[in-house]
Amino acid sequence: MTRSSEISGFYRRTIEERRALLREWADLSEEELRAYEFPPGIPAPTVDRMIENVVGVMPLPLGIATNFRINGKDYLVPMAIEEPSVVAAASNAAKVARAAGGFSTSSTPPVMIGQVQILDVPDPAAARHRILDRREELLAAANAVDPVLVKFGGGAKEVEVRLLPSSRGPMVVVHLLVDARDAGGMNAVNTMCEKLAPELARLAGGRAVLRIISNLAVHRLARARATFRAELLATPTASGSQVVDAILDAYAFAAADPFRCATHNKGIMNGVSSVVVATGNDFRAIESGAHTFAAWQASHDHAVVRPLTSYEKDRAGDLVGSIELPVPVGLIGGATAVHPTAKANVKVLGVKSARELGELLAAVGLAQNFAALRALATEGIQRGHMELHARNLAASAGARPDEVDRVAATLLEEKAIRFDRAKEIVETLHGRPAG
Ligand code: MEV
């Protein structure tokens, strides 16, 4: 008989019952089942309330990037990511930036956009005017939904109306601009949009359908800038000034070519997303927002996508990097307020507002990108990757913690970074003949 994944009431079962079911489904061993266990400090009931059908946790490595100095303040930056080299690269880049004073950052107020789609509007231009005429009442009605947000200086601030041609005919799309203060803003914005929708539909003479936040947070931007001194970039085979030029060439490649740009921006998100994950924020929102922002900005120049960073050489011949990206992240609400590790990470970061967190994300994104370009434009990124890979191979081949470095060094020396060779070396070390 074929197995069915239709399991009635799965959500009503306990975590233990769900695990037992999985055990049977996949014939999991005791050891495999243990991988679902909650680490000390992460209470099962907390996780069980965060999402549905919980069976365990999926811990990612959490590393701390050092050396960050932003607007004269020092930060230790928790980064949750499965990819080797990212944390080391961010720390190294921050060290170079630090020598010239560190990162300077700025940001817009934390304004998110909510969208209400209105269909079957007989006269969209007239509807637009009718809605804008009622701006004050609409903002007041939206703000009545969230008096606490308003008390803290946030709330609905503006109404915009767009007339959107579409494959299904013209649509009226209302944007509600909401200052979310220290929240990500999703709940406040969606609730306000749902509240306003019937009145907007009435004013437009149509019907309101979608009411949802936009992840293209063009009004919630953070910027960072840093100088990377040429003299600190020299390698055994290239002068600092040659490396500056090589990085500018790498940047120009990304600015000219979407295939390269996708990878360039991905490297930026290595840094940004790992801090977003570490702080319990929505990494899909920031990823989607960043990539759409890059495409949206490029569209003004009839291009496909744009690097989120840019680079130039200053009069002294040093490299100056900058970045601008949307940062829809919060410190209150959501997993940030619930997940014990996220809470500890926010405390380690010491950020006091969502804006400060957004600016830090921009600095980390710039650091990560600078590190990637520097590596790519000089020795390539594989050496650093291979060192970590060799250590991983050594450990999985059975090297004890005090032997890992030795085994990895031999693998690198022999340029034989393979599991079978790692196993041979470990067996020889342990006095067992290889083979
Ligand atoms: C790898 O995760 C990220 C890089 O590919 C970024 C880049 O190419 O700029 C190294």
Side-chain angles (χ1 to χ4, degrees), residues 223-376:
R223 309 171 197 100
R225 200 171 165 80
T227 299
F228 304 97
R229 284 205 185 123
E231 71 200 45
L232 300 178
L233 305 184
T235 72
T237 53
S239 71
S241 129
Q242 282 171 324
V243 174
V244 168
D245 279 327
I247 293 175
L248 289 172
D249 288 340
Y251 163 62
F253 181 12
D257 176 30
F259 289 91
R260 171 60 205 149
C261 190
T263 325
H264 178 105
N265 286 346
K266 187 273 182 185
I268 293 168
M269 301 316 284
N270 275 346
V272 174
S273 296
S274 51
V275 182
V276 169
V277 172
T279 57
N281 274 287
D282 180 344
F283 59 94
R284 287 83 57 213
I286 197 141
E287 296 272 352
S288 167
H291 296 304
T292 312
F293 179 69
W296 182 71
Q297 286 207 316
S299 71
H300 304 323
D301 305 324
H302 307 287
V304 176
V305 67
R306 232 198 55 157
L308 291 162
T309 50
S310 67
Y311 291 89
E312 63 205 16
K313 199 181 340 187
D314 69 10
R315 286 212 188 131
D318 294 328
L319 184 73
V320 181
S322 53
I323 185 169
E324 182 178 48
L325 80 169
V327 284
V329 287
L331 287 179
I332 55 173
T336 310
V338 173
H339 194 295
T341 321
K343 288 201 285 191
N345 287 339
V346 168
K347 201 165 170 192
V348 168
L349 265 180
V351 288
K352 298 286 179 263
S353 67
R355 274 179 81 167
E356 189 181 352
L357 175 59
E359 292 180 21
L360 176 117
L361 293 176
V364 176
L366 176 59
Q368 207 72 55
N369 180 239
F370 162 76
L373 296 188
R374 179 190 187 185
L376 287 166

Side-chain angles (χ1 to χ4, degrees), residues 93-135:
K95 189 167 187 177
V96 180
R98 194 181 174 88
F103 298 86
S104 52
T105 63
S106 66
S107 57
T108 64
V111 173
M112 299 300 295
I113 300 169
Q115 296 194 292
V116 181
Q117 175 203 36
I118 310 173
L119 300 179
D120 303 334
V121 177
D123 185 348
R128 178 168 182 274
H129 278 271
R130 281 198 298 274
I131 292 170
L132 291 177
D133 280 349
R134 302 291 301 276
R135 172 183 178 275

